[in-house]
Amino acid sequence: MTKRTSAKYKIDRRMGENIWGRPKSPVNRREYGPGQHGQRRKGKLSDFGIQLRAKQKLKGYYGDLTEKQFRRIYAEAERVKGDTGENLIGLLERRLDAVVYRAKFVPTVFAARQFVNHGHVRVNGKKVNIPSYRVKEGDVIEVRDRSKQMAAILEATQLPERDVPDYMEVDHSKLTCTFVRTPQLGDVPYPVVMEPNLVVEFYAKN
């Protein structure tokens, strides 16, 4: 198992939830946490613990972002007018790796980061290899011609467990995606409940 895959499964086990809705998640078989004491770890969480968990779950979902990256996105969400939790979700969903994942060009968000890093993606006709690049409404994201026959892409477009959300328009025959609008929390097809309001509470106190 690659380091990337094991990290993905470790996050699921740590959270006790199948946060990407993947059929192979170990949580589908056993809900307790990893490690020799995993089965004994079901104690009641404090408010701090609940807020921390909500932050770790959201951070993990987007490819296990570093605390520094996540805090920077949060600070920006706070600066923008409107609900900070909703702004946070909007900013996370506008990351190029998140858009590539949502468009079903790749099977996982970890693969999306690698896919962008390796230069397989163009935004409005220009190569962009920065996973955190922020997509704007109306931007057209496409897989470059030389990469269109990759097995991982062909497999991802057929995945039954995920649907393309309605805030983007995707043409899988051409492997292009138009980012139509910035979503709100209710628009995002998370397989588990995400609570950005708890993330806001966490940063307000810490």
Side-chain angles (χ1 to χ4, degrees):
M1 196 186 299
T2 66
K3 194 189 281 186
R4 209 166 271 274
T5 310
S6 64
K8 181 175 67 187
Y9 291 150
K10 210 182 279 179
I11 293 166
D12 270 2
R13 292 280 306 285
R14 197 171 66 218
M15 295 297 144
E17 290 182 81
N18 182 358
I19 68 172
W20 293 281
R22 304 267 297 155
K24 289 181 183 169
S25 171
V27 177
N28 297 343
R29 296 191 298 279
R30 49 188 177 200
E31 289 191 354
Y32 52 86
Q36 66 185 83
H37 305 296
Q39 283 169 282
R40 294 213 301 262
R41 278 194 198 155
K42 277 283 187 191
K44 195 171 184 305
L45 286 174
S46 63
D47 284 354
F48 172 82
I50 291 166
Q51 291 158 2
L52 177 65
R53 195 185 181 82
K55 181 188 70 135
Q56 287 172 329
K57 192 159 65 166
L58 196 59
K59 210 167 75 161
Y61 183 88
Y62 287 93
D64 212 13
L65 298 173
T66 66
E67 178 60 24
K68 194 175 172 186
Q69 283 174 310
F70 194 73
R71 184 137 210 165
R72 201 165 53 228
I73 297 167
Y74 174 80
E76 195 168 340
E78 211 177 17
R79 278 199 307 272
V80 183
K81 256 191 207 166
D83 183 281
T84 304
E86 290 283 1
N87 292 343
L88 178 63
I89 296 298
L91 290 172
L92 288 165
E93 282 294 309
R94 282 171 56 198
R95 285 176 59 95
L96 183 55
D97 54 0
V99 173
V100 166
Y101 171 65
R102 288 271 177 244
K104 287 176 74 172
F105 293 161
V106 289
T108 69
V109 74
F110 295 92
R113 183 180 298 169
Q114 203 172 18
F115 194 69
V116 174
N117 259 332
H118 292 180
H120 297 298
V121 176
R122 294 180 183 280
V123 178
N124 300 329
K126 291 179 185 163
K127 185 172 95 170
V128 178
N129 59 3
I130 301 161
S132 61
Y133 175 89
R134 192 160 298 149
V135 172
K136 296 192 289 294
E137 293 178 3
D139 278 358
V140 176
I141 297 92
E142 61 186 325
V143 176
R144 68 173 186 176
D145 289 343
R146 277 188 305 177
S147 309
K148 286 184 177 174
Q149 294 311 308
M150 288 172 69
I153 300 177
L154 301 174
E155 176 207 337
T157 56
Q158 306 302 316
L159 280 176
E161 74 258 22
R162 282 201 291 130
D163 291 323
V164 174
D166 62 6
Y167 46 89
M168 45 181 72
E169 287 169 2
V170 177
D171 183 339
H172 280 142
S173 64
K174 293 179 183 163
L175 292 177
T176 62
C177 161
T178 304
F179 190 77
V180 179
R181 62 184 171 83
T182 303
Q184 293 190 307
L185 175 62
D187 302 322
V188 183
Y190 293 119
V192 295
V193 176
M194 291 294 181
E195 297 162 299
N197 57 311
L198 294 179
V199 180
V200 175
E201 286 174 23
F202 175 86
Y203 281 124
K205 290 176 185 170
N206 298 287

